[in-house]
């Protein structure tokens, strides 16, 4: 089956043509490397686009152009509205890593300072229990569960609703989750390890896991997508100003 133009350029937008003009040798090598996941066939075209969407729409990235590009291409590849919405939900709840990082530090520093937390009121935590039951609990969440079980359970209700929804297959859920954590705008090692482990348990191959990591690397070309048009505009502006001065 012939590749479409959009598949050939993978994570790129129109800036690729400008980069090719300025540095064709580098552009050719970079294009080959960055578009590899779109051409290898290791992941389905739909999953490639959903993972790419995840990396762009993540709360650590919020790349509007990339989000639109990969929504369009995911729909073209057969993704449903609910699958795309699933990615948005995952992209939202990854913000919990602020507490994963900060809550243990808070507890350690409070102990060192002799500050005692107020006893948490005993409350039921059914959402936390459900996350544990479906294998999505992270031990890094234990500290803030202890600090504020009510708030933590409310947050986990969001997560349990996502991960227990059945919208996507377990293997795909783990590969998507790994992309969020391994992306260079996040690099959350505990989550990356947990989701790699879970992906392998769910039947993912090493090649599939590495392909997701390659998609994370491909996101680096957004620097060119952003910068090349601006540079072209500024060079044109400067050339125009030089003409007027001469």
């Amino acid at each position: 089956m012939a590749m479409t133009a959009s598949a050939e350029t993978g994570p790129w937008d129109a800036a690729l043509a400008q980069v090719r003009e300025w540095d064709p040798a580098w552009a050719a090598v970079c294009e080959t490397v960055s578009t590899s996941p779109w051409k290898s066939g290791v992941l389905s075209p739909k999953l490639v686009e959903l993972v790419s969407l995840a990396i762009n729409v993540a709360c650590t990235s919020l790349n509007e152009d990339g989000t639109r590009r990969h929504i369009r291409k995911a729909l073209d590849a057969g993704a449903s509205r609910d699958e795309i919405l699933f990615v948005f939900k995952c992209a939202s709840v990854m913000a919990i890593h602020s507490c994963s990082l900060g809550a243990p530090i808070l507890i350690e520093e409070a102990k060192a300072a002799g500050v005692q937390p107020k006893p948490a009121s005993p409350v039921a935590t059914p959402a936390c229990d459900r996350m544990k039951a479906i294998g999505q609990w992270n031990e890094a969440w234990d500290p803030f569960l202890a600090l504020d079980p009510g708030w933590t359970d409310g947050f986990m209700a969001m997560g349990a609703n996502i991960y227990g929804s059945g919208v996507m297959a377990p293997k795909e859920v783990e590969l998507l989750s790994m992309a969020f954590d391994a992306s260079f705008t996040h690099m959350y090692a505990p989550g990356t390890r947990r989701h790699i482990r879970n992906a392998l348990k769910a039947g993912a191959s090493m090649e599939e896991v590495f392909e997701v990591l390659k998609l994370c690397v491909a996101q680096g070309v957004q620097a060119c997508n952003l910068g090349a048009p601006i540079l072209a505009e500024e060079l044109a502006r400067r050339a125009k100003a030089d003409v007027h001065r001469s």
Side-chain angles (χ1 to χ4, degrees):
M1 184 175 67
M3 284 279 180
T4 65
S6 61
E8 288 173 355
T9 54
W12 289 89
D13 62 20
L16 177 57
Q18 183 66 79
V19 178
R20 284 172 177 158
E21 178 185 332
W22 287 337
D23 192 337
W26 185 87
V29 174
C30 184
E31 183 183 357
T32 297
V33 172
S34 62
T35 61
S36 172
W38 279 263
K39 300 176 181 179
S40 67
V42 174
L43 301 176
S44 71
K46 182 175 79 170
L47 187 56
V48 167
E49 295 303 336
L50 290 175
V51 170
S52 299
L53 171 60
I55 299 166
N56 279 275
V57 79
C59 63
T60 54
S61 183
L62 301 178
N63 183 321
E64 182 177 354
D65 291 340
T67 295
R68 183 176 297 279
R69 176 172 59 254
H70 293 294
I71 286 175
R72 183 180 296 123
K73 290 163 73 174
L75 291 169
D76 289 345
S80 69
R81 181 201 66 186
D82 287 347
E83 287 173 322
I84 292 173
L85 183 59
F86 179 91
V87 175
F88 298 163
K89 292 176 180 178
C90 292
S92 301
V93 300
M94 68 183 287
I96 196 62
H97 293 153
S98 293
C99 281
S100 300
L101 171 69
I105 296 173
L106 170 60
I107 291 173
E108 290 172 4
E109 292 300 320
K111 183 178 180 181
V115 177
Q116 295 295 323
K118 295 179 180 179
S121 301
V123 294
T125 54
C128 294
D129 295 341
R130 184 182 176 198
M131 288 292 280
K132 293 174 182 178
I134 63 176
Q136 288 295 338
W137 184 257
N138 184 348
E139 291 182 356
W141 300 339
D142 289 340
F144 54 89
L145 174 61
L147 287 168
D148 195 333
W151 178 86
T152 300
D153 197 68
F155 186 91
M156 293 304 159
M158 296 166 57
N161 176 267
I162 298 168
Y163 290 103
S165 66
V167 170
M168 297 186 69
K171 181 178 80 170
E172 294 178 337
V173 170
E174 295 301 336
L175 292 173
L176 272 170
S177 300
M178 186 194 79
F180 284 119
D181 287 349
S183 64
F184 59 76
T185 57
H186 196 40
M187 292 188 171
Y188 182 63
T192 299
R193 181 179 297 278
R194 183 165 60 91
H195 292 299
I196 287 176
R197 182 184 301 122
N198 288 346
L200 293 170
K201 287 180 179 178
S205 66
M206 288 183 67
E207 291 76 16
E208 287 174 319
V209 172
F210 192 64
E211 207 71 5
V212 172
L213 296 177
K214 287 162 62 177
L215 283 166
C216 293
V217 174
Q219 183 69 3
V221 305
Q222 302 314 313
C224 291
N225 283 340
L226 173 65
I230 296 173
L231 175 57
E233 290 172 5
E234 291 303 314
L235 290 171
R237 181 186 63 82
R238 190 170 289 251
K240 185 176 180 181
D242 289 343
V243 168
H244 287 160
R245 283 194 296 266
S246 61

